[in-house]
Amino acid sequence: MIVVKVGGSEGIDYDAVCADIARLWQGGQRLILVHGGSSQTNAVAEALGHPPKFITSPSGYTSRLSDKKTIEIFEMVYCGKMNKMIVEKLQKLGVNAVGLSGIDGGVWRGKRKKAVRAVDEDGRKFVVRDNYTGTVEEINTDLLNMLLDGGYLPVLTPPAISFEGEAINVDGDRGSAETARALQATDLIILSNIPGVLTAFPDESSLLKEIQFDDIDHVAKTYAEGRMRIKLLGAKEAIEGGVGRVVLGDARIERPVAAAVAGQGTVITR
Amino acid sequence: MIVVKVGGSEGIDYDAVCADIARLWQGGQRLILVHGGSSQTNAVAEALGHPPKFITSPSGYTSRLSDKKTIEIFEMVYCGKMNKMIVEKLQKLGVNAVGLSGIDGGVWRGKRKKAVRAVDEDGRKFVVRDNYTGTVEEINTDLLNMLLDGGYLPVLTPPAISFEGEAINVDGDRGSAETARALQATDLIILSNIPGVLTAFPDESSLLKEIQFDDIDHVAKTYAEGRMRIKLLGAKEAIEGGVGRVVLGDARIERPVAAAVAGQGTVITR
């Protein structure tokens, strides 16, 4: 069992990702695909007159400010545009994919953070309340296994659903990590528009090829910022939970999934 | 087994529909919910600078001109905004709903009409080619039954998928009819923003309370226009295929599904 997460940033080659997923699936690999849609969401939100806003937590993580209207736009892009684009590509390749958000069947459940602490540009702290965000805590593995056993490839995307039944924006990397953990996946592959952890970002020749589990925190603090820090946090959670290996790989290359499975990128093990 | 279709026109009370669906489901009724999203799609398409266009067939049916960009917007609204809104409402009511488009798991498969004949305002015929439309011909009842047996309520929406693996715009009423037929439903309930077939549209006191199967064509020709003609076509296909009863009901009232099940609206039987 492997879980593949492909990001939503610019430059990602979804045709190549889907072609690779189809090859693996048709070769008998049990797998789940998770995807994002961040850059498209920004563009659509702008066009619809509700431009994206981001907040930074006191510990330095950036996340999308998710009021009700933002969640609606988020669902349009993640669950509508991106999810159906990917499912259609896979169907065209003969893979019987089924797209699901974390809401559907309560695949991804978590607690909504009703009050989120943030810091402004001057370092002043404030609290955000009209915000629908949270973290994935429970995975409906029954539904995922039922689909897999039935020959369907699940294609998952945020949002998740709170224990009170509200759609909540969650981080897709950490959702993938939790999914991989719950399904006891051998591998979690996280693909984005860079080759992995770079010790001298954005210099791609500074790729860090291996990280030992015990060094994750150090690497995250020393080299990684923003999105990559969250990926490393996800990697840590996955390996702590029993996932064999996490690979942070490049989604812009020709055989992105196969390359990552073969160890190209940043490989994290215990 | 019943199939409930709720339209996408203005005035529909989705809270009331979902509350009723939850009551039926929690009372042990096996059911599938199908929904539309037409008016929202028009609004979003306008906002995104790709205003909707409609074409009229030589036999007088109106349909959305569905180029690739329109299909993408269509998916954003039907599969993103509307589908997840409904699934979230049901989840909040304790129903473990799973939203699916016709693409997912090939739930709705059909032939793409690569060339569509249309007539312009002056009655001149022309052919449209950059158009992704079709009609639902095959239902993946295995997937639907697997979900139902697992305790999940399927919430279905267009588009469907062509035999070549392309997303195609299909009529939701006829898709519901085909679904009800394939599942040998006892009832097909089609709810919209009018009370049923009106013999003097838009006078709601002119509701036609019953139609015998053999009279459908006559009624469609005499009283019904546009959307209602398609609903009657769907009703005819459903009953021909073995569905016991079709009720065309009102989705603007307080207990819309229960009322229709109780026979309020236009009841069509053999």
Side-chain angles (χ1 to χ4, degrees), chain B:
Chain B
M1 175 76 208
I2 70 174
V3 173
V4 179
K5 160 77 190 335
V6 58
S9 303
E10 275 166 46
I12 289 172
D13 185 345
Y14 291 100
D15 282 325
V17 170
C18 289
D20 245 7
I21 291 286
R23 272 183 218 109
L24 281 167
W25 178 257
Q26 284 156 352
Q29 176 66 56
R30 197 172 170 96
L31 72 84
I32 282 172
L33 179 60
V34 183
H35 69 87
S38 187
S39 73
Q40 288 287 326
T41 300
N42 296 348
V44 171
E46 292 279 0
L48 293 178
H50 194 77
K53 290 182 196 149
F54 293 90
I55 50 173
T56 304
S57 74
S59 52
Y61 291 107
T62 299
S63 64
R64 188 182 294 275
L65 184 63
S66 302
D67 54 18
K68 267 284 179 198
K69 179 78 186 160
T70 298
I71 289 285
E72 194 179 280
I73 295 168
F74 186 98
E75 288 175 343
M76 287 171 64
V77 177
Y78 279 69
C79 313
K81 185 174 182 173
M82 301 297 290
N83 190 263
K84 297 319 161 201
M85 173 195 77
I86 291 170
V87 171
E88 183 182 354
K89 283 186 197 301
L90 290 168
Q91 287 281 350
K92 214 165 197 167
L93 293 164
V95 175
N96 211 351
V98 170
L100 297 172
S101 76
I103 299 176
D104 297 294
V107 169
W108 282 357
R109 275 197 202 275
K111 203 159 85 183
R112 176 181 164 207
K113 287 179 235 156
K114 281 180 189 160
V116 175
R117 288 184 309 139
V119 288
D120 68 14
E121 286 171 5
D122 300 322
R124 277 179 300 229
K125 290 181 185 169
F126 63 102
V127 173
V128 181
R129 289 186 197 278
D130 179 24
N131 199 36
Y132 291 81
T133 60
T135 306
V136 177
E137 292 168 42
E138 287 179 12
I139 309 290
N140 184 346
T141 54
D142 284 350
L143 177 55
L144 295 175
N145 281 319
M146 185 174 88
L147 288 168
L148 288 164
D149 292 344
Y152 301 100
L153 190 158
V155 180
L156 289 183
T157 191
I161 190 156
S162 72
F163 294 111
E164 289 78 36
E166 300 151 317
I168 50 173
N169 186 357
V170 294
D171 181 70
D173 292 324
R174 293 181 67 196
S176 310
E178 189 60 24
T179 305
R181 189 203 60 70
L183 293 166
Q184 288 295 291
T186 52
D187 285 10
L188 167 64
I189 309 288
I190 300 181
L191 303 176
S192 69
N193 61 351
I194 51 168
V197 176
L198 303 176
T199 58
F201 182 86
D203 175 6
E204 299 195 0
S205 70
S206 71
L207 176 69
L208 197 59
K209 292 190 176 167
E210 276 179 56
I211 304 174
Q212 296 298 312
F213 177 77
D214 292 336
D215 296 333
I216 293 177
D217 287 340
H218 172 71
V219 168
K221 221 180 282 176
T222 314
Y223 305 117
E225 288 185 74
R227 294 294 322 146
M228 189 51 78
R229 278 177 74 178
I230 299 182
K231 287 180 204 304
L232 287 171
L233 182 59
K236 188 180 168 187
E237 289 167 343
I239 292 178
E240 270 173 352
V243 174
R245 184 178 70 144
V246 179
V247 183
L248 307 177
D250 197 334
R252 300 166 306 173
I253 62 176
E254 211 171 304
R255 297 280 311 264
V257 186
V261 168
Q264 198 172 315
T266 299
V267 178
I268 307 165
T269 48
R270 192 176 274 276

Side-chain angles (χ1 to χ4, degrees), chain A residues 201-253:
Chain A
F201 181 85
D203 175 6
E204 299 194 359
S205 70
S206 71
L207 176 70
L208 196 59
K209 292 191 175 166
E210 274 179 57
I211 305 174
Q212 295 299 310
F213 176 77
D214 293 335
D215 297 331
I216 294 178
D217 287 339
H218 171 71
V219 168
K221 222 181 281 178
T222 314
Y223 305 117
E225 286 185 76
R227 294 295 321 146
M228 189 50 78
R229 279 177 73 178
I230 300 182
K231 287 181 204 303
L232 287 171
L233 182 58
K236 188 180 167 188
E237 290 166 344
I239 292 177
E240 269 172 350
V243 174
R245 184 178 71 144
V246 179
V247 183
L248 307 177
D250 197 334
R252 302 166 304 173
I253 62 176

Side-chain angles (χ1 to χ4, degrees), chain A residues 14 25 31 39 81 94 98 101 106 132 134 146 182 192 194 206 245 251 270:
Chain A
Y14 292 100
W25 179 257
L31 72 86
S39 73
K81 185 174 182 174
V98 170
S101 75
Y132 291 81
M146 184 175 88
S192 68
I194 51 170
S206 71
R245 184 178 71 144
R270 193 177 272 276

Side-chain angles (χ1 to χ4, degrees), chain A residues 143-197:
Chain A
L143 178 55
L144 295 175
N145 281 319
M146 184 175 88
L147 288 168
L148 288 164
D149 292 343
Y152 301 100
L153 189 157
V155 180
L156 290 183
T157 191
I161 190 156
S162 73
F163 294 111
E164 289 77 35
E166 301 151 316
I168 49 173
N169 186 356
V170 293
D171 181 69
D173 292 324
R174 293 181 65 196
S176 310
E178 190 59 24
T179 306
R181 190 202 58 73
L183 293 165
Q184 288 295 292
T186 52
D187 286 9
L188 167 63
I189 309 288
I190 301 181
L191 303 175
S192 68
N193 61 351
I194 51 170
V197 177

Side-chain angles (χ1 to χ4, degrees), chain A residues 56 58 117-127:
Chain A
T56 305
R117 288 185 308 140
V119 288
D120 67 13
E121 286 172 4
D122 301 321
R124 277 179 301 230
K125 289 182 185 170
F126 63 103
V127 173

